[in-house]
Amino acid sequence: MQSSRKPTRHRQNRTAYLFLLPWLIGFFCLTLGPMLGSLYLSMTKYNLLSSPRWLGFDNYVQIFTDDSMFYHSLKLTFQYVLFSVPLRLIFALLVAMALNKGIRALGIYRTVYYIPSLLGGSVAIAIVWRKIFDGNGLFNHFLNWFGIEGPSWIANPNFVLYTIVTLSVWQFGSAMVIFLAGLKQIPADLYEASQVDGAGKIRQFFQITLPLLSPVLFFNLVMTIINSFQVFTPGFVIGDGRGGPMDSTMFYTLYLYLKGFSFFDMGYASALAWIMLVMIGGLTAIVFATSKYWVFYGDGKEEKG
C-alpha cells in the first residue's frame, strides 16, 4: 500500500510545483530580479548609454547631504499623504454607511461610486481636472454665480496641492466598496440591543460600528498610505511634467522620474527609489505596530502584535 501511495503523492507534489512555476518565474524575473538590479544601479553612475560606474554609497550621501529638492519633494509628498489619506477614508466610510441603509439598486450605486477609482489615476482625468480648476475653468464659473472671483487654482502654488488632494478624495470608490462589505458583516442585533439600552446613532458608531470595522479600516489605511506615496500622474499632468508652478507639484515620484528619464541619471534615481521603498516599509511597519491598540476582531480581543 505504501509503495502505491508514494508515486501518487509524488505526482501531486509535481503538479503543485507546475502550478507554482508561472508565479515563480514572474516573481524572479519581473520582481526580485529588477529589484536587485536597481539596488546595484543605486550604487553606480549610470546614464543608460554607458556602462555603470561603481560609486558605492555616494548617491545616498549626496541625496541626504546635498540635494535640497529631495527634501522639498519629500515634504510635499508627506503633506499630500497627510491631507489625502484621512479625507479619502472618511469620505469613503460616509458613503459606505449611506449605501448600507438598504437602498434600492445598490449594485448600480456601488458601481457608479467605484468608477472614479478606475479612472482617477488616468492621464485623461488629470487633464479634465486641470481644466476644471483652471482660471477659466468650471469651478470658477460655479463660484461666479455667487459673486466670487476664484483664482487659477492650478497656477497658484498655494492652492495647486489641494486640487490634487481633491482629485485623490474623488477616488474613494475602492475603499468604499471594502467598507461596505465590512459594514454588512456587522450583526444587526447589536444595533437593536444598543437601541434598547438608549444608545443614539453617534454612540452606536463609536461603540459598535467603528470597533467592529477596525480590521477593514486597518487594511484600507495601509493600502491608501502606500498608494498615496506613489502619486505621480496628477502632479505630472497638472504641473506640466516639471513640478510647476514653482515646484509646488514636485512629488517624490515625479522627482525620481525626472532624475531617471529626463536627466538620465538612472543610478541616482534608483537610490531615490530604494529610499522610498524603505520609507514606505517603515511607515507600514509603524501602522502594524500600533494596530494592536485600536484594531479589534470578532472575539472582542485586540490584535496581538
Side-chain angles (χ1 to χ4, degrees):
M1 292 295 293
Q2 293 180 354
S3 59
S4 63
R5 290 178 180 176
K6 288 182 180 179
T8 301
R9 187 176 303 169
H10 177 71
R11 285 195 296 268
Q12 290 176 347
N13 293 337
R14 185 171 59 182
T15 302
Y17 294 148
L18 290 176
F19 275 112
L20 286 173
L21 187 60
W23 181 87
L24 291 173
I25 294 175
F27 174 73
F28 285 105
C29 296
L30 301 178
T31 302
L32 184 60
M35 285 182 65
L36 295 177
S38 70
L39 180 60
Y40 165 73
L41 291 178
S42 71
M43 300 182 183
T44 64
K45 179 71 174 179
Y46 181 48
N47 60 5
L48 297 176
L49 301 177
S50 59
S51 299
R53 180 167 58 89
W54 181 258
L55 296 177
F57 291 98
D58 288 357
N59 284 331
Y60 294 94
V61 173
Q62 182 178 352
I63 288 173
F64 287 109
T65 61
D66 192 29
D67 191 348
S68 59
M69 187 56 66
F70 162 75
Y71 289 102
H72 171 76
S73 64
L74 194 62
K75 177 183 176 182
L76 184 66
T77 303
F78 268 99
Q79 289 177 336
Y80 171 80
V81 173
L82 183 63
F83 286 110
S84 65
V85 170
L87 287 176
R88 188 194 299 192
L89 293 179
I90 291 172
F91 201 76
L93 180 56
L94 291 176
V95 175
M97 294 179 65
L99 293 179
N100 194 42
K101 299 299 183 180
I103 62 176
R104 295 181 179 179
L106 175 61
I108 297 177
Y109 286 104
R110 186 167 49 194
T111 302
V112 170
Y113 284 123
Y114 186 70
I115 288 176
S117 294
L118 300 177
L119 302 177
S122 67
V123 175
I125 295 300
I127 294 175
V128 171
W129 215 255
R130 179 173 178 170
K131 295 295 183 182
I132 291 175
F133 289 98
D134 190 57
N136 296 319
L138 182 63
F139 186 67
N140 278 349
H141 283 296
F142 172 76
L143 293 179
N144 287 337
W145 291 349
F146 303 94
I148 302 174
E149 184 178 355
S152 179
W153 303 93
I154 63 171
N156 192 321
N158 297 322
F159 299 119
V160 63
L161 175 64
Y162 302 108
T163 64
I164 299 177
V165 170
T166 306
L167 175 57
S168 171
V169 176
W170 183 65
Q171 304 169 40
F172 66 91
S174 178
M176 181 271 296
V177 171
I178 298 174
F179 275 136
L180 184 58
L183 288 171
K184 290 188 175 298
Q185 300 302 316
I186 299 178
D189 55 357
L190 293 179
Y191 294 102
E192 296 173 358
S194 65
Q195 286 180 346
V196 173
D197 293 336
K201 296 295 183 181
I202 297 179
R203 184 178 176 185
Q204 287 178 348
F205 175 77
F206 285 103
Q207 294 190 355
I208 298 177
T209 304
L210 205 55
L212 294 182
L213 203 63
S214 58
V216 178
L217 177 62
F218 170 64
F219 174 81
N220 275 336
L221 176 63
V222 171
M223 297 306 298
T224 305
I225 289 176
I226 294 174
N227 292 331
S228 296
F229 270 102
Q230 301 177 57
V231 58
F232 173 78
T233 303
F236 182 84
V237 174
I238 295 176
D240 291 323
R242 295 292 176 180
M246 298 177 60
D247 296 326
S248 57
T249 58
M250 185 64 75
F251 294 110
Y252 192 94
T253 51
L254 178 58
Y255 180 53
L256 189 157
Y257 168 83
L258 292 176
K259 274 293 185 180
F261 295 97
S262 293
F263 301 107
F264 300 104
D265 196 349
M266 193 59 68
Y268 199 89
S270 298
L272 289 171
W274 272 93
I275 292 173
M276 183 179 185
L277 175 64
V278 173
M279 178 176 60
I280 294 177
L283 289 174
T284 304
I286 292 174
V287 175
F288 269 89
T290 59
S291 64
K292 61 184 178 180
Y293 300 108
W294 58 274
V295 177
F296 303 87
Y297 293 94
D299 55 1
K301 297 179 180 180
E302 298 181 2
E303 182 189 18
K304 301 298 183 182

